[in-house]
Amino acid sequence: MSLTVDSVAKKFGRFPALNGASFVAPQGGFVSLLGPSGSGKTTLLRILGGLEFADSGSVRFVDLNWLDMPARTRNAGFVFQQYALFKHMTVADNIAFGLKVRPRNRRPSSADIHKRVTELLDLVQLSGLEARYPSQLSGGQRQRVALARALAIEPRMLLLDEPFGALDAKVRKELRTDLRRIHDHAGVTTVFVTHDQEEAFAVADLVAVMKDGRIEQYGAPADVRRNPTTAFVSEFLSA
Amino acid sequence: MKKRFLKPTEDPLWLRLFLGAVAIAFIAILLLLPLALVFKEAFANGIGAFWIAIKEPDTLASVRLSLIAAGIAVPLNMVFGIAAAWCITKYDFPGKTFLVTLIDLPFSVSPVVAGLIYVLVFGAQGWFGRSLADNNIHILFAVPGIVLATIFVTFPFVARELIPLMADQGCDEEEAAATLGATGLQTFLRVTLPNIKWGLLYGVLLCNARALGEFGAVSVVSGHIRGVTNTMPLHVQLLYDNYDYPGAFTVAALLAMLALLTLALKSLLEWRYADELAAAHRH
């Protein structure tokens, strides 16, 4: 009952973005993929979300052959750095989207959808803003909407691609704390990509430090910080 | 008296007046005056005469044919334009630049050449001429040829309007929709289409204006059969060549009205939905 990423490799043209990345995370764990730009962390996350396809390697999640499933059926909530909110929909419609597109037999009634949206707005502390459009929100509020939208589908997995990268330091800290609270509340397996080591260590149970498409070191934040196993990791962490 | 300095971006008064006068003179002489003359000539004998000229059976037939040609060409080019813009902006494949160039071809080729292409392909001496004649299918000098020529010249409008728009929007929202469980069709209808609707509408309006007004390509394939294969622009020429000036100006005025209506519709939409348009451009 866990997430097992085994030797995942991916090339873009001739450029190898991933060179056999492997890690195992427990069900309900919170993993940070940490590394400089070009280390392959976003590519790995997008492969987990079904937005890119691996050239080789496998991913097992619980008892599912994860890479054989299309993005649509994975039920993995994805949060993008640039929010990717639906510009022409209100906050409430954005959050409800994943429920409204379900096939009729699995679609909640509109009353249930409304209830769920209200709960989620409460969870991400945006109550009262349901009728706004994304362009009328601040960056931090938009990312809260994106998080609520990803949680609305009751995801099996939550994937976040530098979600706080475009926000200022104070908002980042608030959102980070909220994300951890939401994760603990929902108990969903979470993979979080960042290049900010403070953020990675503060929020995750497990940190994977990546370099050149490989995972250099993987472990609990305290262990990684105390015992960097390679020169790269120790240099990266002291930077 | 205090000396007044010019702002760095401000030009002296005489230059501003001069440039303004040049612009106004150009617009007046080249755009407004001819338009006014068309309407003046069309209504020279009063509105009654205008109606009589329109009710002339050949004129009515030309209006009908133009509307049929536009009515077929515009929806087809709308579907094609969306498909082309979708595949060019959402996918990467070899030969993409070549495809974009091909889409632009009808803009760069003279419409007469476009018409001649169809003569070469479907004409009596053309590739398919013999087999078409054997099966009693008429393309040239008949409605299908006119529709084909209209499709050809109006091909790029929708795609050209949508490609920059969709390229600018990227695939983020479509990716988000996919991770939220939407099917391809749901993503298109609920996410992509609402995001491109204004660009699409512009493209369709422009496409429609051109489809109604096309002369060159249609002229080559039409055969100018009065009341049968004459579109409105062709009918204007035919009446004019037969010294039927009131009739020619009447149809010309009708065409001009359609063009003005298109412009008015476009401006109205821009004005009515200014907020939404601005919101769509913001990120």
Side-chain angles (χ1 to χ4, degrees), chain B residues 135-150:
Chain B
N135 292 301
N136 207 15
I137 298 170
H138 303 288
I139 290 184
L140 274 191
F141 314 129
V143 177
I146 291 168
V147 172
L148 279 176
T150 307

Side-chain angles (χ1 to χ4, degrees), chain B residues 105-268:
Chain B
L105 192 69
F107 274 172
S108 46
V109 160
S110 160
V112 176
V113 177
L116 282 174
I117 293 168
Y118 286 107
V119 174
L120 285 176
V121 176
F122 299 114
Q125 271 76 44
W127 291 347
F128 304 127
R130 177 62 56 80
S131 51
L132 287 171
D134 289 347
N135 292 301
N136 207 15
I137 298 170
H138 303 288
I139 290 184
L140 274 191
F141 314 129
V143 177
I146 291 168
V147 172
L148 279 176
T150 307
I151 290 176
F152 182 89
V153 290
T154 56
F155 210 47
F157 284 99
V158 175
R160 270 282 120 197
E161 197 72 37
L162 291 184
I163 289 170
L165 183 68
M166 288 169 78
D168 185 49
Q169 288 177 346
C171 309
D172 292 2
E173 292 184 36
E174 281 81 7
E175 284 183 346
T179 62
L180 293 167
T183 63
L185 186 65
Q186 284 173 325
T187 304
F188 177 73
L189 293 178
R190 289 165 182 254
V191 177
T192 309
L193 204 55
N195 274 335
I196 62 169
K197 65 183 174 200
W198 297 113
L200 184 63
L201 201 64
Y202 279 11
V204 166
L205 281 175
L206 289 174
C207 185
N208 186 50
R210 180 67 191 269
L212 288 173
E214 175 54 24
F215 181 83
V218 171
S219 175
V220 177
V221 298
S222 134
H224 305 267
I225 308 164
R226 258 190 119 129
V228 182
T229 64
N230 249 2
T231 61
M232 287 170 77
L234 300 183
H235 198 57
V236 172
Q237 195 204 19
L238 187 130
L239 292 171
Y240 190 83
D241 287 350
N242 291 334
Y243 306 104
D244 182 357
Y245 297 131
F249 279 111
T250 301
V251 184
L254 207 57
L255 264 175
M257 278 185 224
L258 285 172
L260 290 176
L261 192 72
T262 306
L263 272 182
L265 205 59
K266 182 172 171 281
S267 310
L268 181 76

Side-chain angles (χ1 to χ4, degrees), chain A residues 27 37 40 42 52 54 57 71 91 102 131 159 168 185 210 223 233 238:
Chain A
Q27 170 87 338
S37 15
T42 290
E52 300 284 354
V91 166
R102 281 190 186 168
L159 304 166
D168 64 61
H185 169 81
M210 294 189 67
D223 296 339
V233 175
S238 63

